[in-house]
């Protein structure tokens, strides 16, 4: 009595952020009442037909209450579930690329909203401008203060343009450097969330020292004496990803990718034909499973069946659990040991699994 009704914030893309409990992964859920149509990937077209037929039957039943279609719809649901399991049982590298780029996968701001409390964004590089492709700020993870840095792609046309599709400019990397220095000064662990096709290659970015900014961010990652953990949540493209992922512990979501170049770019250079991206994806060994064998990453975070885009809350919770575990492993270590272990980890990169 006398209280305002509880509100639920509905996003443009149909997902809602329940305000039931800030900082909990369950706060990020799919809103079945207002959810937009699911986006199916090319290899999921047969699945789309089956799920579409089940939905059509239920839509007819909603219009005519005398119709009983639940038995037929349930049979289609079982068939769709079996097909989904078969499709995702053994994805090839190119299909992994498609899943990693799925527009409905949770993005950096979704993880921050669900996993962290008291998030306070910090803007600007104190030199040129603020880069909206990079989110940086102070937050709490399980009531422990941390610094969060991540790429944000956006979730609709307007936000994707504002975020430059997750492609950071020099000022984005210099903003990250500023936050890493702050973390070192105040002894705060750093958590980075990587999701970028690569650093922005535009003329202005090059004029403002893009390569120097990326190198500076990578060097700063090696210098700070606090725990640094990184998770590849979608695409990990080129030096733009390495600048945030030069960490003590690096984890990847099961269907994410991490590579020196995109399959299309690789195919264009090697074969002068971007259509050979499937062959390039195989050769690049960019999947989490390959990179774990090569010793490039430390952990693979399992995704829900069908990818993070089908059960965002589960994927976010799994990432949160992994981040907490990695920080727990690093807690209590001396700054000099953290720096030494991090440098040795990357200096030894490439010595494992190359003959496989």
């Amino acid at each position: 009595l006398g209280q305002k009704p509880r509100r639920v914030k509905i996003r443009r893309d149909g997902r809602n952020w329940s305000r039931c409990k800030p900082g909990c992964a369950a706060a990020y859920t799919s809103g079945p009442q207002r959810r937009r149509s699911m986006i199916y990937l090319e290899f999921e077209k047969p699945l789309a037909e089956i799920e579409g037929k089940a939905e059509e039957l239920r839509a007819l039943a909603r219009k005519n209450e005398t119709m009983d279609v639940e038995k037929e719809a349930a049979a289609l649901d079982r068939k769709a579930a079996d097909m989904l399991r078969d499709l995702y049982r053994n994805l090839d590298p190119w299909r992994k690329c498609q899943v990693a780029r799925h527009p409905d996968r949770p993005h950096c701001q979704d993880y921050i909203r669900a996993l962290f409390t008291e998030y306070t964004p910090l803007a600007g590089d104190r030199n040129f401008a603020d880069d909206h492709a990079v989110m940086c700020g102070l937050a709490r993870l399980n009531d422990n203060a941390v610094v969060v840095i991540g790429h944000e792609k956006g979730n609709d046309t307007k936000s994707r343009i504002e975020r430059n599709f997750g492609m950071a400019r020099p000022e984005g990397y210099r903003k990250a450097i500023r936050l890493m220095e702050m973390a070192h000064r105040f002894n705060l662990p750093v958590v980075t969330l990587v999701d970028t096709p690569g650093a922005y290659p535009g003329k202005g970015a090059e004029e403002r020292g893009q390569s120097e900014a990326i190198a500076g961010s990578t060097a700063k990652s090696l210098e700070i004496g606090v725990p640094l953990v990184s998770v590849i949540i979608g695409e990990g493209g080129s030096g733009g990803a390495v600048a945030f992922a030069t960490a003590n512990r690096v984890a990847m979501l099961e269907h994410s990718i991490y590579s020196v170049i995109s399959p299309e770019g690789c195919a264009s250079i090697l074969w002068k034909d971007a259509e050979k991206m499937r062959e390039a994806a195989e050769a690049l060994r960019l999947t989490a499973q390959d990179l774990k064998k090569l010793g490039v990453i430390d952990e693979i975070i399992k995704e829900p069946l069908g990818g993070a885009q089908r059960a965002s809350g589960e994927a976010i919770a799994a990432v949160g659990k992994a981040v907490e575990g990695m920080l727990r492993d690093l807690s209590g270590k001396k700054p000099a040991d953290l720096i030494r272990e991090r440098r040795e980890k990357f200096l030894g990169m490439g010595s494992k699994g190359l003959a496989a």
Side-chain angles (χ1 to χ4, degrees), residues 136-338:
C136 293
L138 301 170
R140 288 187 179 277
L141 179 65
N142 283 344
D143 208 34
N144 296 310
V146 297
V147 168
V148 186
I149 301 171
H151 299 97
E152 173 55 43
K153 287 184 172 181
N155 51 54
D156 57 21
T157 302
K158 182 180 179 182
S159 63
R160 284 169 188 149
I161 292 171
E162 179 188 1
R163 304 287 187 176
N164 201 32
F165 300 88
M167 295 184 291
R169 297 178 170 89
E171 45 272 23
Y173 294 108
R174 292 179 181 130
K175 175 169 66 172
I177 291 171
R178 185 168 71 85
L179 267 290
M180 289 182 200
E181 290 174 344
M182 182 184 295
H184 179 77
R185 188 179 309 125
F186 294 105
N187 195 31
L188 301 175
V190 179
V191 178
T192 66
L193 302 170
V194 177
D195 187 15
T196 178
Y200 184 59
K203 182 173 180 287
E206 296 297 339
E207 289 173 344
R208 296 193 299 278
Q210 181 71 292
S211 59
E212 184 276 334
I214 293 170
S217 181
T218 306
K220 185 59 64 178
S221 297
L222 290 169
E223 293 171 4
I224 59 176
V226 295
L228 174 53
V229 301
S230 180
V231 181
I232 316 294
I233 57 175
E235 287 186 273
S238 194
V242 174
F244 290 174
T246 310
N248 292 96
R249 299 286 187 275
V250 181
M252 286 179 70
L253 278 170
E254 182 183 2
H255 301 312
S256 59
I257 58 172
Y258 189 20
S259 174
V260 69
I261 191 172
S262 70
E264 297 91 336
C266 178
S268 297
I269 293 170
L270 293 183
W271 295 290
K272 312 299 181 186
D273 182 4
E275 292 302 312
K276 290 198 173 185
M277 63 275 190
R278 289 172 181 80
E279 293 89 335
E282 290 277 355
L284 285 168
R285 301 182 72 174
L286 42 63
T287 67
Q289 293 72 24
D290 281 337
L291 294 171
K292 180 74 165 61
K293 292 176 184 176
L294 292 169
V296 174
I297 66 167
D298 305 291
E299 183 177 345
I300 298 174
I301 303 170
K302 190 170 179 58
E303 294 190 28
L305 180 63
Q309 66 275 8
R310 280 186 171 258
S312 300
E314 288 182 36
I316 290 172
V319 168
K321 185 177 179 181
V323 169
E324 290 170 15
M326 291 187 289
L327 289 176
R328 196 182 307 116
D329 291 343
L330 296 170
S331 66
K333 291 195 174 186
K334 295 179 180 179
D337 292 335
L338 290 168

Side-chain angles (χ1 to χ4, degrees), residues 25-100:
Y28 182 88
T29 60
S30 295
Q33 299 300 319
R34 302 193 188 185
R35 183 174 60 189
R36 68 180 180 184
S37 298
M38 181 175 291
I39 297 173
Y40 290 90
L41 299 171
E42 181 184 359
F43 68 88
E44 294 178 320
K45 285 180 180 178
L47 178 66
E49 292 178 9
I50 297 172
E51 292 186 338
K53 287 176 183 176
E55 182 55 35
E56 284 174 13
L57 286 174
R58 291 191 172 97
L60 288 172
R62 285 193 293 269
K63 291 179 181 178
N64 186 352
E65 294 182 0
T66 61
M67 292 181 66
D68 184 9
V69 300
E70 194 52 40
K71 187 176 180 181
E72 292 83 354
L76 288 171
D77 286 343
R78 288 192 295 272
K79 186 176 179 182
D82 290 340
M83 181 175 288
L84 182 66
R85 200 172 293 108
D86 290 340
L87 285 173
Y88 278 81
R89 180 171 290 129
N90 192 22
L91 291 178
D92 63 40
W94 174 242
R95 288 184 175 181
K96 291 262 189 186
C97 293
Q98 292 177 289
V99 176

